[in-house]
Amino acid sequence: MGLCSLTHQIDALNILNELQAHATTSNRDGEGQCSGALLAGKEAVRPGELTKEPRRLKTITARARESCLARLLEILTRLISIEEDFIKDASYGRRLLKRKDSVDLKNICLRMAIAESGSHSDRDLRELRHCLRLIVGNLLAYVLEENNPSSTETTHKLRELSNSFPDI
């Protein structure tokens, strides 16, 4: 059952990676292709030629949200890595996480991916951060109960991770 929760986390990670990649390519400052179109008062562009589109300036708030999402994405990546290492090193008799937590994480990521504006609301980011904190806390509690050599290192990594959450 612990592997099922891990699968949900990996799915959430993939969703967030796609979301971030889409945001990066669609909002790239001034880079894009306008082929064969008339630009406002300019000559037609020949097929195959690249031109620069007008720059889309991002607000400070939008940049802060993107930075926060990137940090949460990094935390999720590290969490999955820590959990995979712990599973390899330890023989555990019960599941590591509550399945509900990982399903909630995946659902939050799906909701963020289908948001119309493509921007991330503070509410979505707070819910994502809260869910990740809950998962890290639950995993830390489980690891502390274990009495094996990998528990000490995993505990240290999870405590570092829990201290790295951004403020929103």
Side-chain angles (χ1 to χ4, degrees), residues 37 77 157:
T77 302
K157 289 178 182 178

Side-chain angles (χ1 to χ4, degrees), residues 25-26 28-35 49-54:
T25 58
S26 67
R28 197 167 294 191
D29 287 341
E31 294 179 11
Q33 181 172 345
C34 290
S35 177
E49 287 184 358
L50 295 179
T51 63
K52 291 196 174 197
E53 293 177 356

Side-chain angles (χ1 to χ4, degrees), residues 56-65:
R56 292 185 205 171
L57 298 177
K58 295 179 188 175
T59 64
I60 293 172
T61 304
R63 289 178 188 259
R65 286 182 183 131

Side-chain angles (χ1 to χ4, degrees), residues 95-166:
R95 58 181 183 203
L96 292 174
L97 298 172
K98 297 176 186 174
R99 185 173 180 185
K100 180 191 177 303
D101 295 339
S102 59
V103 170
D104 286 347
L105 174 67
K106 185 176 175 180
N107 287 338
I108 291 167
C109 294
L110 285 170
R111 186 181 66 232
M112 290 174 70
I114 61 173
E116 285 184 30
S117 66
S119 65
H120 319 296
S121 71
D122 288 343
R123 181 180 144 250
D124 288 338
L125 292 173
R126 276 192 297 272
E127 285 182 13
L128 180 60
R129 180 189 62 185
H130 175 74
C131 190
L132 285 170
R133 276 190 174 180
L134 188 62
I135 290 171
V136 169
N138 288 340
L139 186 57
L140 184 58
Y142 176 79
V143 170
L144 286 171
E145 290 176 9
E146 288 293 305
N147 191 12
N148 62 46
S150 65
S151 294
T152 305
E153 183 180 342
T154 303
T155 300
H156 177 70
K157 289 178 182 178
L158 287 170
R159 284 190 174 141
E160 278 183 351
L161 193 60
S162 68
N163 291 330
S164 68
F165 280 92

